[in-house]
Amino acid sequence: MSPDLNLLVSMDALLQERSVTRAAQRLGLSQPSLSAALARLRRHFGDELLTRVGNSYQLTALGERLAEQTSLALTWTDRVFQTRADFDPTESEHEFTLVVADCHLPVFGRVLADLIQRQAPRVRLTFHHSTAQFVHRASDLLRAVDAIVLPQGVLVNMPMLQLYRDRWVCVVSSDIAERPLDQEELSSRPWVFAYQHPFSALSTMPRLAQEGVRIRTSVTTEDFLSVPHLVRGTDRIGLMPERVARLHPAGQGVTVADLPFELGDLLESLWWHPAHERDPAHTWLRAMASQAGRVVEQS
C-alpha cells in the first residue's frame, strides 16, 4: 500500500474513536467508506487493529502503538503545511503549541499569552500538560510541538533559551507556621511532592539529605497548584516553586515557610527541536518567550 494522507486521517479517527460509526461521524464520511479504509489498513498491517469485545471495540497491541504514532504524524503534517517563507504576526493565524507544567501557566504562560495577543491577535496558543513520559521521550515528541518549558539540567542536546529564575520553597498550614522547620521538624512531618521525577534538576532530595533531613513522603501529586490545598489544615510540608507559591492568596491557610538553608534555584528554560531552528514563525515565538521571561524575572 503506497502512502495515502487521506488514509492516515481515517486511521487516526478509527484508532482514536475505536468505532467505524463514530469515526465516520467525526470525519463527515459514510460508514462504508470508513469500513473500506479499515479493511485496507488491516491488509497493509497484517493485523486487525480493532477487535470486537462484547458490544464495543478494543485496539490490538499494534493498534495501541499506531494510535500514538498516527496522531504525532498528523500533527507533524499540519506543522509542515503551516510553514511559510516568512511570518507576519499581525496577519498570521498560526497555532503554537507549548508543553508546560501547571506551575508555568499562571507565571510564564499568562505573560506570554498577553504579549502574543497584543502583537498577533489572530495567532492561537495551545498549552499541553507536561508529564514524565513526555520528558523521557522529548527528543522525538518535540518534533510535534513548538517547545517545552523545563528547568536547565533536565534535557541535553536540544537548543534552548533561558526564561527566568525561580527557587524551591516549602509551604505549610498557616495555623502551625510558627513552629520552626529545623532538621527534626523536617524529618518528622509528612511531605507533599509534585512530579517526583528522577531528574536531578527537579529533585531537592540531595540537598535535603545533605542537611540531615529524612524525607517521609505522604502524598505525591501530578501538579504543583494542588500542593497548597493538600497542606492546608494539616501538619504536612509541601514543596513547590516560589513564584507559584506566592500566588496563593494570603489569609487562605497556607504560608511559605522559612528554612534554615536554601533548597536551590530553578532556571526555567524553553527547549525546542533543532528542526524548528530556522522557521520564521518559531523564531518569532522564541523572541516572544524571551520577552515574557524578562517580564517574569522583573516581577
Side-chain angles (χ1 to χ4, degrees):
M1 184 175 70
S2 60
D4 184 336
L5 186 58
N6 290 326
L7 196 58
L8 186 65
V9 172
S10 297
M11 181 165 67
D12 181 58
L14 286 163
L15 297 180
Q16 297 300 325
E17 298 294 340
R18 305 186 183 195
S19 162
V20 171
T21 301
R22 290 196 300 272
Q25 293 172 345
R26 172 174 166 175
L27 298 177
L29 299 174
S30 66
Q31 287 191 40
S33 296
L34 266 294
S35 294
L38 179 58
R40 289 183 62 190
L41 291 166
R42 282 170 167 167
R43 287 195 299 271
H44 174 77
F45 290 105
D47 188 271
E48 286 296 295
L49 302 179
L50 287 169
T51 58
R52 181 178 286 278
V53 178
N55 294 323
S56 62
Y57 282 90
Q58 292 184 1
L59 298 183
T60 64
L62 178 61
E64 292 280 1
R65 297 201 304 274
L66 287 172
E68 181 179 357
Q69 295 172 7
T70 304
S71 181
L72 288 173
L74 284 175
T75 300
W76 183 246
T77 301
D78 289 340
R79 293 181 59 84
V80 168
F81 282 103
Q82 281 193 68
T83 304
R84 297 290 185 271
D86 53 15
F87 179 75
D88 181 358
T90 62
E91 297 295 332
S92 176
E93 296 183 359
H94 196 97
E95 180 177 6
F96 293 107
T97 302
L98 273 68
V99 179
V100 298
D102 66 314
C103 63
H104 300 132
L105 280 173
V107 177
F108 169 76
R110 171 58 191 268
V111 175
L112 179 63
D114 290 349
L115 285 174
I116 288 179
Q117 185 175 15
R118 287 197 295 269
Q119 297 196 26
R122 298 165 68 182
V123 163
R124 302 183 304 281
L125 189 59
T126 297
F127 292 110
H128 288 320
H129 189 61
S130 179
T131 64
Q133 290 76 17
F134 188 100
V135 177
H136 277 301
R137 301 180 55 204
S139 58
D140 294 324
L141 299 180
L142 273 175
R143 290 180 177 273
V145 299
D146 287 286
I148 184 171
V149 179
L150 283 172
Q152 285 193 18
V154 177
L155 298 184
V156 294
N157 301 324
M158 286 286 169
M160 52 77 66
L161 66 86
Q162 297 178 7
L163 295 174
Y164 61 93
R165 287 188 178 275
D166 209 336
R167 70 186 188 105
W168 291 112
V169 297
C170 289
V171 291
V172 298
S173 184
S174 298
D175 56 353
I176 56 173
E178 297 300 320
R179 289 158 54 180
L181 291 180
D182 54 20
Q183 181 194 83
E184 181 179 356
E185 193 76 11
L186 292 170
S187 297
S188 64
R189 288 167 60 174
W191 284 68
V192 177
F193 285 99
Y195 296 100
Q196 272 200 292
H197 288 296
F199 311 116
S200 59
L202 292 177
S203 176
T204 59
M205 295 298 186
R207 181 72 183 103
L208 291 165
Q210 183 180 348
E211 295 294 333
V213 177
R214 299 181 304 277
I215 294 296
R216 178 165 63 90
T217 303
S218 172
V219 180
T220 302
T221 178
E222 279 294 316
D223 57 274
F224 288 104
L225 296 179
S226 67
V227 172
H229 303 284
L230 293 167
V231 164
R232 186 175 62 240
T234 75
D235 66 343
R236 301 184 191 109
I237 301 172
L239 185 72
M240 59 194 307
E242 182 179 26
R243 291 185 184 275
V244 72
R246 299 288 184 189
L247 293 177
H248 195 75
Q252 292 200 5
V254 174
T255 300
V256 175
D258 292 323
L259 297 177
F261 52 85
E262 285 290 327
L263 285 174
D265 290 336
L266 293 164
L267 185 52
E268 300 288 5
S269 302
L270 189 80
W271 306 76
W272 61 92
H273 195 279
H276 306 324
E277 191 75 16
R278 300 175 64 183
D279 178 14
H282 201 277
T283 300
W284 178 84
L285 173 67
R286 298 197 299 267
M288 290 295 97
S290 180
Q291 185 176 342
R294 290 194 297 273
V295 171
V296 173
E297 190 77 43
Q298 295 165 7
S299 62

